[in-house]
Amino acid sequence: MSDLPSFETLARRADAQLDELALAVAAEFRPVEAGAALAALDTLGGELRVMIAEADGTPAAEARACVELLGERHGFAGDRERYDQPDNSMLDRVLARRRGLPILLSVVYVEVARRAGVALFGVGLPGHYVVGHFGAQPPLLLDPFAGGEPLDARSPDPLVRPWSPHETAMRMLNNLVASFQRRGDIAGAIRAGELRVALPAEEPLAESLRADLRAMRARLN
């Protein structure tokens, strides 16, 4: 593990980056080589910068470069065989295996794009998580789970907006709580639930998360 701050520390920071939050989540459940994972993202970001420099500079060209690099050259795509495995919610494992949940694959796209100066952000949709290039209007949506396949964006659509790193971390933890519960791993579910309550949230949601955590803890008694 590198000098990555704890998840609770990052959760309090308004400027926390998505890659750090995702790696800090993983580090709560097992040892993580965060430095190696960040270096892998840096390398991919460097490759994308080269591709962007050779393109025409339009949002469409930048989006296409992201797909060519991550979906085609490096083969990042959804894990359809082990979809619900907790490893698919761990950024370091997703970088190593090039397989994961939609939200973690989107983290890879967003963080590689950020390193190349591309305006790509995560977009949480009902039942799915994708990325969008917000340099275009309407945004250019890509589905990392499907290897970067383009999606149609209705304009205007209030659901199609950039998600903050903290919002994305909350959804990642929702997935982990459910995944651990389905496996009967109550301790894992509780730890993921504890991380959720560390994130900023409006009071109705915060109270719901605290109540859910109390209910999980009660199952151990």
Side-chain angles (χ1 to χ4, degrees):
M1 183 72 181
S2 71
D3 294 330
L4 192 69
S6 70
F7 181 84
E8 284 88 348
T9 297
L10 290 169
R12 292 192 295 269
R13 278 199 206 159
D15 62 347
Q17 297 293 342
L18 186 52
D19 53 0
E20 293 181 328
L21 281 164
L23 289 169
V25 166
E28 292 290 338
F29 299 96
R30 54 177 179 73
V32 168
E33 291 295 333
L38 294 170
L41 290 169
D42 290 344
T43 298
L44 291 168
E47 292 180 31
L48 184 58
R49 276 196 303 274
V50 171
M51 296 176 68
I52 295 300
E54 296 171 350
D56 62 17
T58 64
E62 291 181 345
R64 180 59 196 162
C66 292
V67 174
E68 289 180 0
L69 176 70
L70 298 171
E72 297 173 10
R73 183 184 300 178
H74 289 284
F76 284 93
D79 188 344
R80 299 179 185 276
E81 296 179 0
R82 308 188 319 145
Y83 185 89
D84 189 43
Q85 289 286 337
D87 276 0
N88 284 330
S89 290
M90 307 294 179
L91 179 56
D92 59 322
R93 292 278 172 85
V94 172
L95 283 166
R97 296 176 54 243
R98 289 169 165 70
R99 293 291 182 272
L101 288 179
I103 193 167
L104 267 296
L105 293 166
S106 295
V107 170
V108 173
Y109 271 64
V110 167
E111 284 299 320
V112 170
R114 181 171 68 84
R115 287 160 165 78
V118 175
L120 205 71
F121 296 92
V123 179
L125 301 175
H128 201 27
Y129 195 100
V130 298
V131 297
H133 192 310
F134 284 82
Q137 201 53 242
L140 302 174
L141 297 183
L142 307 171
D143 184 355
F145 193 81
E149 180 180 331
L151 299 173
D152 289 332
R154 295 172 295 172
S155 182
D157 186 341
L159 295 177
V160 178
R161 61 169 182 83
W163 274 41
S164 73
H166 291 89
E167 287 178 298
T168 299
M170 182 72 80
R171 188 150 167 175
M172 288 169 50
L173 289 165
N174 288 342
N175 289 337
L176 274 172
V177 167
S179 179
F180 285 131
Q181 286 181 324
R182 281 190 286 270
R183 282 162 178 73
D185 184 350
I186 302 303
I190 287 172
R191 187 59 189 140
E194 290 169 342
L195 299 181
R196 285 194 306 192
V197 301
L199 286 165
E202 295 293 328
E203 185 52 34
L205 173 58
E207 176 51 35
S208 174
L209 295 174
R210 290 191 294 266
D212 194 34
L213 180 57
R214 290 193 295 270
M216 287 189 288
R217 286 171 171 165
R219 293 176 62 184
L220 291 180
N221 297 331

